[in-house]
Amino acid sequence: QELPYSDGKKYTLGSVTVSGNTSFSEQTIVTYSGLSKGKEMTIPGEDISTAIKKLWNSKLFNDIEIYITKIEGDVAHLEIRLSDLPQLNELKINGIKKGKKEAIIKDAGLKKGTKVTENLITNTKNFLNKKYRKEGFYNTKILINTIDVKDSIETARVNMVVNIDKGEKVKVKDIVFNGNDILSDKKLRKAMKNTKKINRLRILKRSKFVDSAYQEDLSKIIDKYKENGYRDARILSDSLIVNDDNKTVSLHINVNEGEQYTFGDITFIGNTVYSNEQLRRYLRINKGDTYNGVLLQERIADNSKPDAADITNLYQNSGYLFSSINPVEVNADGNVIDMEIRITEGKPAYFNKVSVVGNDKTNDHVIYRMLRTRPGQLYSKENVVRSVRELGQLGFFDAQEISPNFNNPNPDEGTIDMEYSVKETGSSQIELQGGYGGGGFIGTLGLSFNNFSIKDIFKKDAYKPIPMGDGQKLALRLQASRFYQTYSFSFSEPWLGGKKPVQFSTSLSHTKQFLYNPITRNADKSKRFNITGISVGLAKRLTVPDDYFTLSQAVSFQHYDLQNYNTGLFTFGNGDSNNLSYTIGLSRNNTRIDPIYPTGGSNFSATAKFSVPYSLFNDVNYKALKEERDALEVIVSDSTRPIDERTEASDRVGEIDQERYKWLEFYKINFKADWYAEIVKDLVLKPSAEFGFLGAYNNDRGVIPFERFFVGGDGLGSYSLDGRESIALRGYPNQSLSDQDGGTIYNKFSLELRYPITLKASAKIYALGFLEGGASYNSFRDYNPFSIKRSAGLGIRIFMPAFGLLGIDFGHGFDALPGETVKNGWETHFIIGQQF
Amino acid sequence: CSEYQKVLKNEEIAPKFKMGEALYNEGKYAKANKLFAQIVPNYRGKPQAEKLMYLYSNTFYKTKDYYVAGYQFERFASSYPNSEKVEEAAFLSAKSHYMLSPVYSKDQKETVEAIEKLQAFINLYPESEYSVEANILVKELDYKLEKKAFEIAKQYNKIAFTSTELEAAIKSFDNFIFDFPGSSLREDALFYKLDSAYKLGINSVEYKKQNRLITAKEYYEAFKNKYPNSKYTEAINVMVLEMDEALKNYSTKS
């Protein structure tokens, strides 16, 4: 029924029927087409084509046709004939690894149920071709087949098979330069960062050919010339020759070097805030220097480093947000280029409003107190950068997603609004563990809330699921097995009183342990050792020498209560001991930006812990006691003497030790330093060193058996027993490098190389390699920082907000354990919630 | 197996609607919601859909799922503009947004959204029986924004240590007074602004001290005239005594 448009006649629409292979209801299709009953329309005319277009645009149908079935007077009856587009049923991808399939399905949009059109097939083909081309596979062949599915379900469906033959990667066999006299082939090849010719010795960069990278590298060659004063250098031509083997290409590049230029007079125009002299000091380019456009640009605005010492930052850090700096060549006679650096300073900008958005959990006051940009203050880029860094360090927000936004810039008034956009991230951790170890079941329940709000603890509404948002830390931990139980609680508030960043922290703990009874093979509850401890501390951020420094102080008390607890550790089985001490520490931490994966800065701390020097005023003659004890020791260890005498002597030694350790008298010094340096993008080198020393005021009273250092292993469990410190040293078993009683001096050095696998907020994963060495010593006489136990190894760390840090390390110990003669070899360490 | 479970697993839709409505009337909204959710697609385009969608939307509201409730009510209001419930639905949609507004000290995206929705409702149905409540809610939300800005400025005053930090506090209060001209917190804002200026003056370096004290005294005079019977009167009188004392040095010197 081909009728010319102009002959269109007006009809009223009667019925509309639908035919063809479709699973959609007739009503839906008619409604969608817009052909409602009773509608006035011209046939042939616009309405029909609009209806077809509409149906077509739904991307659900194929072969859409509209017919007139009957005409009764001026009433027309229509029929829509169409069929559903087939849906994708099963997708098979051949030729690539399983893990890569998911990504392709997602990127190409090949989900089950997708409508399969020719367009989809072509797009998928193109997408895959392009994708592999980018990776250097220029010989990729893609074949896509569709097969109709015939079964009882009426919906038209097809199975799709995608065959991928990636073929061989195309590699660069040779790069040939022509016309280069000044710069050698080697130098030019080096300038090409991502296009390299085949070289078996180079392991970091591959030699595949990627066109986009090649184009970029061509401009890098020009940059290289520009750096050397050849600012007219250009690439005359370049050609790509596919070699006979079809796997490699050769690149021929013809360059024209041009002549070398030098800098002439450099003048500053428009500068009122900084003098010519000051600006020259930042520019550091003098008349007569080889012309280097790249360097000039870098000294004016270095885009690769946000905190570089360039002229732009000089202005940006002192409020001149609206300043602009343009170098202009004013004269180029005789290959000498005179430059004018035109500066438009503009008005200094002041912050008008400063706001934070995106804090769904954290309260304003926790965030605003961290900001170094406040309303009315002069704009400074440095302060903005630092605010972002410090918000990231709080750990409440995704450090990668904090962005400072400038709103409503007003160059006339000199004002700018600042908005920090943050994204909350999970900051609570739950640890629930059950395991079999130490001869029985061990259960652990740990809760730590890093953004707690203690003031909301009695508010019912705040439990979503726990009161959050005041930046306080609260941790509870219970651990129990047949042989011991530990309860601990800690709380800290980073801004005590809300006025100044004085951190208050307190912790309480109680540990019970029982001895093993070899007869019942169970814990012997009558032989126990209890430790109860409390500590209260204050830490304050200092402003001098700089504000990365923190001074901390703490008072702690521990009570050790022994009952029938006779082990090698103590000479007295019944008795008690008290440890009242004061700790003072100074630390500096400017690591940035992500606390889990710092890429720069350093972290050092020095602490000293003291007890009261009781022996100065308690009128006990420790010298006499020591002599008596030494004499008794001889008796105890002399096996020729009668047993009664030896027991008596041994009891007396216990009594003397009880006297010596009733109140622990000691001092302890610790020093620790870590550095982080980004070598190339994201690859971080972390050297670190640490040292500890435990001493006694009164040598006759002796160094206490508590608070000692135990070197070796994973460094976990440092709170057990007697205030001991476990020092991690991978490649050796736990605490294996110290005496049974622990050392009084230790040192450790390590070098770690880290590389991130992913740094997403949901999971941060990085791999590491390490070299380390350390040892503990029993006195200064033995101390030798070079006689250390060395090790090296590899490991991986995974940080997930809900679980904390988990990791595994494989360390190889190069030295023998004490008392052994062969090197220790490989050890595996599991790391939970602690960083090396 | 209870009657509810039977109906829930049944394929037929009519009993689900019936039971859902009965449960709804009994106040068992969560259960009703489950039933409605199953049959909403089946009723699309049918005459009963209007009632169903209203009940369905309301079950979200009653079970405090305000995100969905706000969306469903809004859909209801746009799908059935002639419904007798349209006014109520429009109001409840806006009120759902109000319910989502968090405490003032957190991000106020939802608050701003709620104010917009409520205001749109008031503009659309100025005579509505709900517009009184809507106005009260808007007021409450407006106050929340005021309170937020005020507390931020007040914190700047509290943690200020250096002179630029005190100036930042003054600037924040100026911004506050400018942004919320009719605020009930105006008196407090003016007081804390004076307090910041006073601290700035008293602790000032010598060569700026006189000017800063004079400015602070201006703030004092303005405050005293505006609020002669303020709860802060005693506090500011102490300040002014100290400032006058400090200013004496300059009058005798010059």
Side-chain angles (χ1 to χ4, degrees), chain A residues 351-353 357-365 368-369 374-377 468 495 497-500, chain B residues 103-107 110 148 152 155-156 158-161 164-165 167-169 171-172 175 179 199:
Chain A
F351 291 113
N352 184 25
K353 282 179 192 161
V357 295
N359 54 323
D360 301 328
K361 291 180 192 154
T362 310
N363 286 318
D364 283 343
H365 70 99
Y368 281 83
R369 66 194 182 192
R374 293 189 189 170
Q377 289 184 348
M468 280 183 67
W495 281 57
K499 227 179 147 163
K500 286 208 172 104
Chain B
V103 60
Y104 73 88
S105 57
K106 295 181 183 177
D107 189 13
E110 285 86 1
K148 182 185 181 77
I152 290 169
Q155 192 194 12
Y156 282 133
K158 188 175 178 186
I159 64 176
F161 186 66
T164 54
E165 286 168 357
E167 279 162 357
K171 171 72 183 166
S172 311
N175 279 346
D179 290 341
K199 284 178 186 158

Side-chain angles (χ1 to χ4, degrees), chain A residues 260-520:
Chain A
Q260 197 183 28
Y261 289 75
T262 51
F263 279 111
D265 290 318
I266 299 173
T267 44
F268 294 98
I269 290 181
N271 52 321
T272 60
V273 190
Y274 293 102
S275 70
N276 290 346
E277 262 320 295
Q278 284 171 310
L279 292 176
R280 236 174 261 288
R281 237 172 279 145
Y282 276 81
L283 194 63
R284 303 194 303 277
I285 294 173
N286 298 314
K287 191 176 175 174
D289 288 358
T290 307
Y291 180 83
N292 183 345
V294 180
L295 184 71
L296 179 74
Q297 191 50 46
E298 228 168 66
R299 296 282 159 80
I300 288 173
D302 187 348
N303 294 324
S304 63
K305 275 184 270 170
D307 50 357
D310 54 37
I311 297 182
T312 304
N313 277 349
L314 178 69
Y315 275 99
Q316 291 291 324
N317 287 340
S318 53
Y320 290 88
L321 172 68
F322 304 115
S323 63
S324 68
I325 295 143
N326 290 310
V328 179
E329 295 179 10
V330 286
N331 192 3
D333 278 351
N335 294 351
V336 175
I337 297 175
D338 292 336
M339 301 287 306
E340 244 176 47
I341 297 182
R342 297 181 184 163
I343 299 171
T344 318
E345 291 179 337
K347 273 198 172 185
Y350 290 86
F351 291 113
N352 184 25
K353 282 179 192 161
V354 177
S355 57
V356 176
V357 295
N359 54 323
D360 301 328
K361 291 180 192 154
T362 310
N363 286 318
D364 283 343
H365 70 99
V366 176
I367 306 167
Y368 281 83
R369 66 194 182 192
M370 301 303 293
L371 302 181
R372 286 165 187 274
T373 57
R374 293 189 189 170
Q377 289 184 348
L378 195 60
Y379 161 79
S380 154
K381 186 176 160 189
E382 207 177 352
N383 285 347
V384 175
V385 172
R386 194 154 169 203
S387 300
V388 169
R389 179 190 303 168
E390 286 173 353
L391 285 181
Q393 280 170 345
L394 282 176
F396 309 149
F397 309 113
D398 185 347
Q400 319 282 336
E401 297 221 18
I402 301 171
S403 64
N405 306 324
F406 294 105
N407 298 329
N408 307 324
N410 187 341
D412 298 332
E413 297 271 326
T415 58
I416 183 88
D417 286 352
M418 183 85 234
E419 180 191 86
Y420 292 93
S421 168
V422 298
K423 208 175 140 207
E424 301 265 1
T425 153
S427 49
S428 300
Q429 287 161 18
I430 293 175
E431 181 191 357
L432 191 59
Q433 267 182 6
Y436 199 80
F441 179 80
I442 302 176
T444 307
L445 172 66
L447 295 171
S448 77
F449 307 118
N450 285 333
N451 191 1
F452 199 71
S453 171
I454 205 140
K455 74 174 187 327
D456 290 343
I457 201 162
F458 296 114
K459 282 189 197 155
K460 220 179 103 204
D461 295 346
Y463 282 82
K464 295 181 216 167
I466 44 145
M468 280 183 67
D470 277 345
Q472 295 155 341
K473 284 190 173 64
L474 183 88
L476 282 166
R477 201 177 151 87
L478 310 173
Q479 192 169 46
S481 77
R482 278 195 302 178
F483 298 98
Y484 69 92
Q485 295 158 17
T486 308
Y487 314 91
S488 69
F489 163 85
S490 70
F491 172 78
S492 75
E493 154 67 61
W495 281 57
L496 186 64
K499 227 179 147 163
K500 286 208 172 104
V502 175
Q503 172 169 292
F504 167 81
S505 55
T506 181
S507 70
L508 272 170
S509 71
H510 183 69
T511 310
K512 264 187 190 168
Q513 17 205 342
F514 306 105
L515 269 189
Y516 179 68
N517 186 332
I519 299 159
T520 60

Side-chain angles (χ1 to χ4, degrees), chain A residues 505-742:
Chain A
S505 55
T506 181
S507 70
L508 272 170
S509 71
H510 183 69
T511 310
K512 264 187 190 168
Q513 17 205 342
F514 306 105
L515 269 189
Y516 179 68
N517 186 332
I519 299 159
T520 60
R521 299 187 168 211
N522 204 337
D524 187 343
K525 302 256 166 165
S526 66
K527 297 178 175 174
R528 59 161 181 77
F529 179 23
N530 288 359
I531 305 172
T532 311
I534 180 167
S535 81
V536 177
L538 285 178
K540 193 179 151 194
R541 202 165 69 192
L542 301 180
T543 48
V544 190
D546 70 29
D547 50 9
Y548 293 116
F549 275 92
T550 307
L551 178 72
S552 60
Q553 300 176 70
V555 175
S556 62
F557 174 73
Q558 263 126 29
H559 178 71
Y560 304 93
D561 179 16
L562 291 91
Q563 207 160 43
N564 263 329
Y565 200 85
N566 291 299
T567 65
L569 200 58
F570 301 101
T571 46
F572 54 97
N574 276 306
D576 61 344
S577 179
N578 299 292
N579 182 355
L580 175 65
S581 61
Y582 167 75
T583 309
I584 183 163
L586 185 68
S587 67
R588 181 178 191 273
N589 182 353
N590 69 338
T591 54
R592 54 186 182 262
I593 298 170
D594 189 335
I596 304 301
Y597 193 78
T599 50
S602 64
N603 184 3
F604 96 85
S605 70
T607 57
K609 191 170 177 181
F610 310 95
S611 70
V612 181
Y614 307 100
S615 56
L616 283 183
F617 45 80
N618 69 354
D619 287 338
V620 176
N621 188 348
Y622 288 106
K623 196 167 166 59
L625 281 177
K626 182 180 192 299
E627 280 160 5
E628 186 188 346
R629 191 181 187 280
D630 287 345
L632 289 166
E633 281 275 305
V634 173
I635 300 173
V636 173
S637 53
D638 185 353
S639 54
T640 58
R641 288 181 187 256
I643 192 79
D644 284 355
E645 195 182 345
R646 284 173 66 193
T647 312
E648 201 177 311
S650 164
D651 286 350
R652 178 60 189 151
V653 168
E655 267 172 49
I656 293 171
D657 282 354
Q658 167 71 72
E659 178 59 41
R660 281 166 71 203
Y661 303 137
K662 185 142 190 76
W663 287 90
L664 296 178
E665 187 179 309
F666 67 101
Y667 66 92
K668 184 156 121 177
I669 292 158
N670 283 66
F671 177 81
K672 207 173 169 179
D674 300 323
W675 291 267
Y676 296 88
E678 199 170 356
I679 305 171
V680 288
K681 177 102 184 95
D682 284 342
L683 180 69
V684 172
L685 182 71
K686 179 199 169 201
S688 65
E690 52 187 288
F691 168 83
F693 175 73
L694 176 69
Y697 301 120
N698 183 329
N699 280 327
D700 291 328
R701 197 170 176 181
V703 179
I704 55 167
F706 299 84
E707 299 272 348
R708 292 191 172 212
F709 306 111
F710 292 80
V711 177
D714 53 26
L716 297 178
S718 57
Y719 299 104
S720 63
L721 281 164
D722 41 11
R724 66 172 57 185
E725 281 184 51
S726 295
I727 314 299
L729 187 67
R730 289 165 283 188
Y732 297 95
N734 285 354
Q735 313 190 343
S736 62
L737 301 179
S738 302
D739 286 359
Q740 206 180 348
D741 298 338

